[in-house]
Amino acid sequence: WANRDSVLKECDGFVAFSMLRRQVGGGGGSHGDDKGISGTDDPSYVSTTIWKDRESFNKWREGNAFKAAHGNGKETVKKSEPLWIKPPTPIFYEGTLVISTEDGA
């Protein structure tokens, strides 16, 4: 993922992206269980984006940058085993407390 071509930084209203991986082994699983949602020891991933507002997110989601990155555009994406049990579903949260450094990190 870190080496993928991404144009997120160029999208109006984009603030940040994070890819989180569930720690496997060593007792770091969810509620003391090291098995992921698939019932295996494979790590689970969660990606998050932060946008200036919902309008900016929707504009990106309906635009060419999203389609190119997710294989819904004219560009072809190599078929491989799915990385998920089911396709991701957007979930929205409104920031009620934001703490960051001057550079936004």
Side-chain angles (χ1 to χ4, degrees), residues 13-63:
F14 172 76
V15 176
F17 171 86
S18 297
M19 175 65 74
L20 308 174
R21 182 179 70 176
R22 184 182 58 84
Q23 199 172 11
V24 176
S30 175
H31 302 289
D33 180 7
D34 282 348
K35 300 293 184 194
I37 56 173
S38 63
T40 70
D41 289 330
D42 296 332
S44 301
Y45 292 87
V46 174
S47 65
T48 63
T49 56
I50 299 174
W51 296 86
K52 179 181 77 174
D53 52 34
R54 175 88 57 106
E55 181 182 349
S56 297
F57 170 80
N58 287 337
K59 193 173 180 181
W60 166 74
R61 182 100 189 264
E62 295 165 1

